[in-house]
Each structure stands twice: as C-alpha cells, then as structure tokens.
Amino acid sequence: MLSKFEKSNFFTIILRFQVFISGAAVMVLEVLGSRVLSPYFGNTLFVWGSLIGVVLTGLSLGYTYGGKKADKDCSYKIFSMFIFIAGTYTLAITFLSSEIFQMILAFNVGERFGPLFATIAILGIPSFCLGAIAPFSIKLSTGSIKTIGRTAGNLYAISTAGGIVGTFATAFFLVPIFGVNTILFTISAILILSSIFGLTDYFKFVAIFLVIFSIYTSMSVLPVAGVTYQKDTFYHKLIVHDNSINNIRTLILDSNFHSAMDLNNPDRIIYEYVRYFHLGFVFVDNPKNVLFIGGGGFTGPKDFLKSYPNVKIDVVEIDRDVIQVGKDYFFVPEDERLQIINQDGRQYLSNTINDYDIIILDAYDKSYVPFHLMTMEFHEIINNHLSDNGVFIANIITSLNGKSSDLFRAEYKTLDTVFPNVYVYPLSLNQEQMVQNVIIVAHKQDTRLENKTINQDYNLSFNIVDFVDKEYNKSIKIDDVPILTDDFAPVENFMNPLTGKTYFKKIILQNSSSITVPEEKNYGINQNRGEIIVGSFIVIIIFYLSYTYLFSYTQKKEN
C-alpha cells in the first residue's frame, strides 16, 4: 500500500535525486579510494585493481540482494535505509580508515592482498548498499509492466549521469581544492540527508544529527603539533612537518619522508643519499648542464647551485604544489641558473631538445615507483639526451640481495642493455639484504672508469672520492629477472617483497658523522586522536543501530 507521499509527483523527483546522488557517490568513493589508500599501499596497479574490482563486486551483490528484497517487500523505508547505511559507513571510514589500514599492514599480507582487504573494508558495504537500491528504485517507479523497460533505462541513465558528474568533479576540481576528508564528510552528509524522506521519525532525528556532525567536522580545522602545511594535491597527500626538538623540517608525501632541511642551517644535507648525486662530477669532466627528475624538497638542486657556480640546473617535477612548497617552505632560491619545469619527467625528455651532462632521477619511494621511468624505452630516451660522456644517476630504495632485491636487479639489467657501463653504490655496503638507498650510475662512456678522481676543486663540505670506494663490486644475479619494457614491467610484483620490511635511511648529524636509522611511517600525523575516538564510537553505534533496524524490519516482513 503506497503512502500519500509515494503517490505524489514530488516523490518521483526525490527518488530520481536519490538515484543520481547514489550513482555519484559510488564514483566519488572509488576515485577518493586511491587517495585514501596511497599513503599506506602506494598508488600501484594492485590498488586500482582492488578499487575497481571491489566496487563492481559490491554493486553486483547489491543488485542481486536488492532485487530479491524488492520482490518480497518493495518498501521505500528499506530503500532509504540502504542509502542511510551507505552514508553512515562513509562517515565511519573517514574516521577509522587509518586504524583499519594499520591493522591490515600488521598482518603483512603483501602489496597484492593488502590493498584488496583494505578496499573491501572501506568500500565493500557502501558499494553493496548503493547497488541494492537500484532494483528498489525501478520497482518503486514502475506504474505499469508496459513501461518497465523505459523506467529502468531512465533510472540507470540518471545513476550513470551521477557517476559521470561524481568522477569528473572529484578528479578535476574537488580534491585539490577541498581535500579528501572534506569531500568524504560532504558526500556522507549528502547521502544521509537524501535518505531522510523515507526514514522513521527516530532515524530522521539521527540523520539530522549526523548531517550536522559531518558538516561541522568537515569545516573544522584541527591543530596538529608540528604540521606547518598540508594539502591533498593532484598526486599526493602533502605535509610539511617541523620538529620542534631538532628544528628539522620534513616534506612528507603519502606518508613517505621525501626531504628534510635543518631550519638552523638550511644548507646542511640531512639524508646522506643526496651526497651520492655528486658522483656525476667524478664520471664527467667539467659538466655544465644537470637535470633532476623529481624535485621534492629540492635538496639536491639547491646543493648543486651552491657547490657548482658554473653549472646550469633544470628540475622537472610533476606536482605543481610540490614546486610551490619547495619555494615557500624549503627556501628554493630564484636563480638564473635554476629552471623548474612542471611536467612529467619522461614527457619532458620526449619533447625537449636539451642535452645534459648529468641526469639524476630521484622520483622513487619504497611503496611506489612510476614504472614508465624504469623501462628500457625510458632509458633510451635518457641516453639520447646525455652528452657524449654523460652519466645517468638513479636513487632506488631496495636491497642488493634476497627476495626484496628483484626491483633493483631488474632495473640493473635494464640499464645494462642500454648503457655500456653500470655502477652500483649502496649506502650500507656490507648490508646486502637491508632495504636501503642504492645509487645506480649508468655511464655513456664505452670504457669502464677505473681510476675515479675529480679534477676540480669544488665548494663541497665532503670529499666525493670517498664515495667511489663504496662501489658494490660483487656479481649481480640477473638471469631470473626480466628487462623492464613499456610492454612488460611488473614493478608491483617486484615491490611486493618490500612490503613490511623496514627501510633504513642514513642520516647525517651536525658533526658530519652519519647514523643508520629505520624510517617509521607516521600515518596519523594529520589526525587528532581524541576526535577519532569520540567520532568513531558515535558512528559505530549509529551504524549498528541502523543495521539491526533494517535486519529486524525485513525479518518481520518475511514472517
């Protein structure tokens, strides 16, 4: 028996609005899912495969379950409760995702299954609920069997239109303007608000409370100790963090510590691997042009500017917000010898006519490597843009031996097919199974350089030649790894053994000595623990009440 509201024209408008919002919410959650997962699991093929697969599975199961329920009891209350639960759960995961992901990481299930389980946890229920409303909406809108095809087509078109709007709006505009959490709070509020028309009076009160809570939370800026600046960019969750104890400023991209600067002495190098970039001046006599691919906090380019007064430096950085942060927070100077290009490194080299004496690639981290910057085709482009005696230097986080060395050995084999001579410089020479920074130097010169010296007296605080003796001279096994190509570069598989292993980074102290320390990822650096605990309990209780209400309601109808 239809209520008076369900017989009105206003009901038709509201129902179509709910279908549109639900379609948009599915795609908003899928797009944002990559940004929520990336600080913990990288931005790999496994992450995107998990997102697409889990959402499609949830929708499929929702269609099936919703169809069966709609045939037994096509109630607008149940339809609205599905939307309410989806919105409430979205609100819940906004608070709880960090704790959920850290629990999954603790089980060390790997790069392949970690993102899958995480995606199921955050998107499984919303996808299921938003899929379940589709059969309900069709049956609630159908006045005659003769028009059911047109009705179903119109509703699926409305849902798809919502998905299109949600996808483009989120990816092209909303994320860099508002940030991920604000969008999640907003979409949860919209879902809960759109469900209010079919809820009982009790749940209408709860829904209004949750909507106010979502809006308030999205507009609140919680002060977090040490965080000087943070933003969700097109590519990263970016944080600038100041340590008040040692006065070190750190650039954090997706929970990976990329660059560090001593605020008391900005010229001091903190991470030792940066010093190895100077090896280029051992291999190349009197270089004039240097290219950095990957800017980060611009530690390397700034050090080169200071150390080599006759060298021109170009830096290619894909994220314009990283460039701006470098200028605003890491003291990147305005200098006629420094040119910063906002572009993908491979795209830049494919279109530029410039050649370089030294090209330095510093765009990898432990949880993600852009595969197109590791392939044979890319290295051929590099080779074509090097001078006759030029050198290519790459910083890679890996081990030299063992299961976690596959990525390094595949990259070494790939470089060896393009360049006549390849050299390896691990920061910890005698720790072959340690996950660490490994510097690979590929030299265009045909003969291997044996007596490596530097011919000029540069303005350096250390002796470059000291690093020459740290070359890894042991045989590197490459027969069980492929040459990486644009067609076949399984870097995600090679990174899988790195998951759960501690990355050791060498830090240079103020007295110029260095220590090796494990890098601890601070996933919760931008979170207020008290707010999380209070909000989590509220949302969990509301979700539990909603679920039990829906379950008991449908059970009564079946009986």
Side-chain angles (χ1 to χ4, degrees):
M1 188 72 178
L2 296 177
S3 66
K4 184 177 180 181
F5 170 68
E6 292 176 52
K7 294 178 181 178
S8 66
N9 291 332
F10 183 65
F11 172 75
T12 303
I13 296 172
I14 291 298
L15 187 71
R16 279 157 173 71
F17 171 75
Q18 289 171 312
V19 170
F20 180 87
I21 290 299
S22 298
V26 170
M27 296 311 300
V28 169
L29 292 175
E30 186 170 349
V31 172
L32 291 183
S34 68
R35 305 308 299 270
V36 175
L37 290 168
S38 61
Y40 306 85
F41 304 99
N43 197 17
T44 66
L45 193 62
F46 297 136
V47 168
W48 279 104
S50 297
L51 288 168
I52 296 170
V54 168
V55 169
L56 289 176
T57 301
L59 290 174
S60 178
L61 293 174
Y63 296 150
T64 303
Y65 179 82
K68 291 179 180 179
K69 287 298 179 184
D71 283 343
K72 292 180 180 180
D73 177 24
C74 190
S75 167
Y76 184 54
K77 289 182 180 179
I78 298 177
F79 171 85
S80 297
M81 281 300 296
F82 276 124
I83 300 176
F84 178 79
I85 292 174
T88 305
Y89 195 85
T90 300
L91 182 59
I93 63 173
T94 308
F95 286 105
L96 300 177
S97 59
S98 177
E99 281 71 20
I100 293 171
F101 296 161
Q102 291 185 64
M103 287 174 59
I104 293 171
L105 287 169
F107 285 101
N108 196 22
V109 293
E111 292 281 342
R112 191 187 304 266
F113 294 106
L116 177 60
F117 294 147
T119 307
I120 292 172
I122 65 171
L123 296 186
I125 289 178
S127 300
F128 175 84
C129 291
L130 296 175
I133 72 168
F136 276 87
S137 65
I138 294 171
K139 199 160 186 179
L140 287 168
S141 300
T142 301
S144 169
I145 193 69
K146 294 181 180 180
T147 60
I148 191 170
R150 183 173 60 188
T151 301
N154 288 340
L155 288 171
Y156 276 112
I158 291 171
S159 177
T160 304
I164 294 170
V165 172
T167 300
F168 284 115
T170 304
F172 284 72
F173 304 104
L174 298 180
V175 169
I177 296 175
F178 297 106
V180 172
N181 284 349
T182 299
I183 301 171
L184 285 173
F185 284 128
T186 304
I187 197 65
S188 66
I190 293 173
L191 283 170
I192 294 169
L193 188 62
S194 69
S195 71
I196 204 168
F197 298 96
L199 300 177
T200 62
D201 290 341
Y202 169 72
F203 275 94
K204 284 181 181 178
F205 172 78
V206 174
I208 291 172
F209 169 77
L210 288 178
V211 168
I212 294 173
F213 179 75
S214 296
I215 295 173
Y216 171 78
T217 308
S218 67
M219 296 176 65
S220 300
V221 179
L222 303 175
V224 182
V227 174
T228 303
Y229 178 82
Q230 62 179 319
K231 181 178 182 180
D232 287 293
T233 76
F234 280 114
Y235 301 93
H236 305 286
K237 185 172 186 63
L238 183 154
I239 297 174
V240 177
H241 181 265
D242 288 348
N243 188 317
S244 60
I245 297 176
N246 56 22
N247 232 18
I248 298 297
R249 173 168 290 172
T250 307
L251 174 66
I252 305 171
L253 301 178
D254 297 328
S255 293
N256 293 296
F257 291 70
H258 273 250
S259 302
M261 181 181 71
D262 187 343
L263 291 172
N264 295 326
N265 182 11
D267 291 336
R268 182 169 76 88
I269 302 297
I270 305 296
Y271 297 151
E272 187 172 64
Y273 80 87
V274 176
R275 286 183 169 180
Y276 281 74
F277 294 159
H278 294 270
L279 281 170
F281 289 78
V282 175
F283 287 86
V284 181
D285 292 333
N286 195 27
K288 296 297 183 183
N289 297 292
V290 176
L291 172 67
F292 281 84
I293 300 176
F298 291 82
T299 306
K302 288 190 300 179
D303 194 41
F304 274 41
L305 273 179
K306 177 178 71 72
S307 303
Y308 309 113
N310 296 320
V311 172
K312 182 180 179 298
I313 300 160
D314 291 345
V315 182
V316 179
E317 168 57 53
I318 194 171
D319 194 332
R320 64 187 179 189
D321 289 299
V322 170
I323 295 174
Q324 193 59 48
V325 163
K327 294 177 179 179
D328 294 342
Y329 294 95
F330 289 87
F331 308 158
V332 176
E334 293 290 338
D335 193 301
E336 61 181 9
R337 293 188 294 118
L338 175 64
Q339 180 184 12
I340 301 174
I341 303 104
N342 179 207
Q343 198 173 2
D344 174 81
R346 181 162 175 173
Q347 290 180 350
Y348 169 75
L349 284 172
S350 297
N351 295 301
T352 187
I353 60 173
N354 295 334
D355 288 337
Y356 297 92
D357 301 306
I358 302 171
I359 296 178
I360 299 170
L361 176 62
D362 189 20
Y364 306 149
D365 59 48
K366 178 175 176 282
S367 60
Y368 171 70
V369 294
F371 86 92
H372 68 295
L373 299 183
M374 299 193 78
T375 64
M376 180 179 66
E377 290 85 350
F378 172 66
H379 295 319
E380 288 172 345
I381 296 172
I382 290 280
N383 190 45
N384 291 335
H385 283 279
L386 284 172
S387 58
D388 292 339
N389 194 35
V391 68
F392 171 61
I393 301 173
N395 170 43
I396 183 170
I397 298 173
T398 180
S399 64
L400 295 168
N401 210 337
K403 294 181 179 180
S404 54
S405 67
D406 291 352
L407 186 66
F408 155 68
R409 293 185 297 113
E411 177 71 345
Y412 179 88
K413 184 176 183 178
T414 304
L415 282 167
D416 198 44
T417 64
V418 177
F419 291 90
N421 289 288
V422 180
Y423 308 78
V424 177
Y425 296 92
L427 266 65
S428 296
L429 185 61
N430 298 319
Q431 300 290 333
E432 296 184 359
Q433 297 197 20
M434 175 193 289
V435 176
Q436 58 175 306
N437 292 90
V438 176
I439 308 300
I440 305 178
V441 178
H443 197 191
K444 202 170 179 179
Q445 182 174 289
D446 291 331
T447 56
R448 192 166 182 86
L449 192 62
E450 298 297 341
N451 297 317
K452 307 181 187 73
T453 58
I454 189 165
N455 295 326
Q456 295 194 29
D457 184 20
Y458 294 112
N459 182 29
L460 298 175
S461 60
F462 59 95
N463 188 355
I464 304 178
V465 182
D466 290 344
F467 297 118
V468 172
D469 297 332
K470 297 181 180 181
E471 181 186 353
Y472 185 74
N473 290 312
K474 294 183 181 179
S475 175
I476 298 172
K477 183 181 179 182
I478 58 175
D479 59 332
D480 60 338
V481 292
I483 294 172
L484 302 177
T485 66
D486 288 348
D487 178 62
F488 183 68
V491 295
E492 289 85 4
N493 291 339
F494 294 152
M495 291 182 67
N496 195 45
L498 288 167
T499 303
K501 296 199 71 172
T502 303
Y503 161 41
F504 289 87
K505 180 174 287 186
K506 274 202 169 183
I507 306 294
I508 302 175
L509 303 178
Q510 290 186 351
N511 60 7
S512 297
S513 64
S514 63
I515 59 172
T516 301
V517 297
E519 180 178 84
E520 299 292 339
K521 289 193 174 185
N522 193 344
Y523 298 114
I525 198 169
N526 63 330
Q527 298 179 0
N528 184 294
R529 304 296 297 182
E531 293 287 341
I532 288 177
I533 293 171
V534 173
S536 300
F537 274 113
I538 292 174
V539 175
I540 289 172
I541 291 171
I542 297 300
F543 173 71
Y544 173 76
L545 291 174
S546 304
Y547 178 80
T548 53
Y549 170 84
L550 179 62
F551 181 77
S552 61
Y553 182 88
T554 54
Q555 287 296 106
K556 289 178 181 179
K557 288 293 182 179
E558 290 176 357
N559 295 329

